[in-house]
Amino acid sequence: MSSIRPLIPLLITAGILLGGNGLQSTLIALRGAKEGFSASTIGLMGTAYFVGFLLGCIFITRIMKSVGHIRAFAALAAIAAAATLTLVLVIDPLMWSVIRFATGFCFAGLFTVMESWLNSGVSNDSRARVLAIYRIIDIGSVTGAQFMIPVFGADGFTIFAIMSIMITLSLVPVSLGDRSNPTPPEEVKLDLKRAWRISPLGSLGCVFVGITNGAFRTLSPIYAEQIGMSVTDVVTFVSVGIIGGALIQYPLGYLSDRWDRRMVLLITTSGALVSALMLVFLAGNSSLANFILVFIFGSFAMPLYSLSAAHANDRAEKGEFVLVNAALMLFYSIGAIGGPLVAALVMEQYGPHSLFAFSAAVYVMFVAVIVYRMGARSPVPAGRRGRFIALLKTSPIFSRLARRSPSADRSNAN
């Protein structure tokens, strides 16, 4: 525990940022709907966020090298806090899209700085414990922060002020808890061609998952609001889907370490497809039915990114873990840029339940790709398969934090 104690301020900062980012995503959708913004407009805001996030992942390392961890973090936090307050001062779809782009850039940078800092301070002996704590903080903060919305309301100034305060307070643990300023990390090489050559299935899988998960995170509050849920039920609906994915991904990961990982990927994608169709045809407007089915949907949909990444890493050479996962996160971001806008246009044309019909259509394509690749390439031998790692999609640096220790890393020479 003593080795983790110096990292506690950074983990507190992580909780504040993860909660604030998750809260903002849901609030934007709910408040935008109350202001009369169309689903496509809110979808465009989601697209703007992921464009900013993608660019933030690409350029933040250069900023860190120029000014260091602390100054980079302080500047990005200040911009994100000011942008959050501007949302309530200027109620305009175009301005909100610009702000979502800026906050996407800032949050990508903030997570990169924080995870780089964690990575520089964690030892191999405590790495697994830190990752476990970080994942617990992620789920607890993202889901818990959602319930500030029914407490304080989506209307008015208060909830936006609270989000701004949360982002500002994230500076306190970093400023007072750690006086070090680690050496900025080397830029993560984003070699998309290499990642594609290693695993076309893993690369395409991350694009498909980006499309569906990006659409879900951006538009699920709109879906729930349009079928008549209360604000409390809306945030419960979003949280239940996230919790389902967090709980079930480890059993699925365990199975994927022992079976052909593509078979587990096929089963999981099929489960996401079936549960999406159940939300379309069986859920109706019942809150309870939607809660149950979105839990099942999240249980299958959310782990698909980590399963796709695990399959790609099985095909990679020794030492390519960071390179592959950074590229896969970029593939995911590309999918997430297009998913919210296209899904929103479908929702406008065919109604709220078409959000999950859209996801089901994407999963059909993913299933077809998996089946094709299973016939085109032999499975990875059991001795060469690595250990499943549940990956967060917060920054390219997370793959360094989650990398296997040398003793645990499998060798392709076997």
Side-chain angles (χ1 to χ4, degrees):
M1 188 66 187
S2 59
S3 61
I4 297 177
R5 191 174 296 117
L7 302 176
I8 289 176
L10 291 172
L11 293 170
I12 293 172
T13 297
I16 296 171
L17 287 177
L18 288 163
N21 191 32
L23 172 62
Q24 188 174 111
S25 177
T26 302
L27 179 61
I28 288 289
L30 283 175
R31 181 60 180 268
K34 288 180 179 294
E35 296 293 343
F37 297 167
S38 65
S40 60
T41 299
I42 295 171
L44 178 62
M45 293 173 192
T47 291
Y49 173 85
F50 285 110
V51 171
F53 188 89
L54 175 61
L55 294 177
C57 290
I58 293 172
F59 291 108
I60 182 57
T61 306
R62 301 178 193 179
I63 298 173
M64 292 166 65
K65 285 184 175 181
S66 298
V67 300
H69 284 65
I70 295 176
R71 289 181 178 178
F73 191 95
L76 292 169
I79 294 170
T84 299
L85 285 178
T86 306
L87 286 168
V88 74
L89 296 176
V90 183
I91 309 294
D92 178 77
L94 179 59
M95 178 60 74
W96 277 30
S97 297
V98 172
I99 290 171
R100 285 299 280 164
F101 171 85
T103 54
F105 186 96
C106 289
F107 275 111
L110 289 167
F111 287 129
T112 301
V113 173
M114 182 188 61
E115 289 171 0
S116 171
W117 218 328
L118 279 171
N119 186 57
S120 69
V122 67
S123 64
N124 282 331
D125 291 339
S126 59
R127 188 176 298 275
R129 280 175 291 168
V130 170
L131 281 173
I133 294 170
Y134 192 29
R135 291 183 184 117
I136 292 170
I137 290 172
D138 172 47
I139 298 302
S141 299
V142 171
T143 56
Q146 305 283 323
F147 290 92
M148 290 186 181
I149 298 176
V151 171
F152 297 101
D155 300 316
F157 177 80
T158 303
I159 190 67
F160 290 91
I162 290 171
M163 282 195 302
S164 182
I165 290 170
M166 289 175 67
I167 297 169
T168 304
L169 286 177
S170 70
L171 282 164
V172 176
V174 168
S175 301
L176 300 180
D178 190 344
R179 299 177 188 177
S180 65
N181 195 15
T183 302
E186 293 298 318
E187 290 190 43
V188 177
K189 187 177 181 182
L190 298 173
D191 193 340
L192 298 185
K193 289 184 179 179
R194 174 59 183 159
W196 179 268
R197 286 197 299 269
I198 290 171
S199 177
L201 175 57
S203 301
L204 274 175
C206 289
V207 174
F208 288 138
V209 177
I211 292 171
T212 55
N213 287 9
F216 177 81
R217 286 297 289 120
T218 301
L219 298 169
S220 57
I222 301 299
Y223 164 87
E225 191 267 342
Q226 287 186 355
I227 66 171
M229 288 190 186
S230 66
V231 172
T232 301
D233 285 348
V234 169
V235 299
T236 302
F237 179 82
V238 175
S239 298
V240 165
I242 296 170
I243 292 170
L247 293 178
I248 305 302
Q249 68 177 333
Y250 292 102
L252 290 172
Y254 177 84
L255 290 176
S256 75
D257 287 343
R258 284 149 182 80
W259 300 352
D260 180 353
R261 216 178 297 269
R262 297 173 302 178
M263 180 58 68
V264 178
L265 196 56
L266 177 61
I267 293 170
T268 307
T269 306
S270 300
L273 167 60
V274 171
S275 57
L277 291 175
M278 291 171 70
L279 279 159
V280 175
F281 296 110
L282 300 180
N285 296 337
S286 166
S287 294
L288 180 59
N290 275 279
F291 293 159
I292 294 170
L293 291 176
V294 82
F295 179 87
I296 298 171
F297 173 79
S299 298
F300 290 111
M302 300 305 164
L304 285 172
Y305 175 80
S306 293
L307 288 170
S308 297
H311 172 69
N313 282 301
D314 288 342
R315 298 287 185 184
E317 299 293 333
K318 184 178 180 180
E320 290 186 316
F321 182 81
V322 173
L323 179 148
V324 168
N325 285 286
L328 293 178
M329 206 190 81
L330 188 59
F331 278 120
Y332 173 89
S333 298
I334 292 170
I337 288 170
L341 182 57
V342 177
L345 292 171
V346 172
M347 285 181 72
E348 280 194 348
Q349 186 69 30
Y350 299 104
H353 287 92
S354 63
L355 169 63
F356 293 101
F358 168 81
S359 296
V362 176
Y363 293 135
V364 167
M365 291 187 285
F366 193 12
V367 166
V369 171
I370 296 170
V371 171
Y372 171 75
R373 293 302 302 172
M374 289 178 73
R377 198 174 190 181
S378 60
V380 177
R384 291 181 56 186
R385 285 201 294 269
R387 177 175 53 85
F388 173 84
I389 297 177
L391 295 171
L392 301 183
K393 302 174 287 294
T394 45
S395 83
I397 299 297
F398 184 81
S399 56
R400 289 180 177 172
L401 184 62
R403 72 184 186 276
R404 303 180 184 93
S405 64
S407 61
D409 203 0
R410 55 110 173 95
S411 172
N412 281 337
N414 291 339

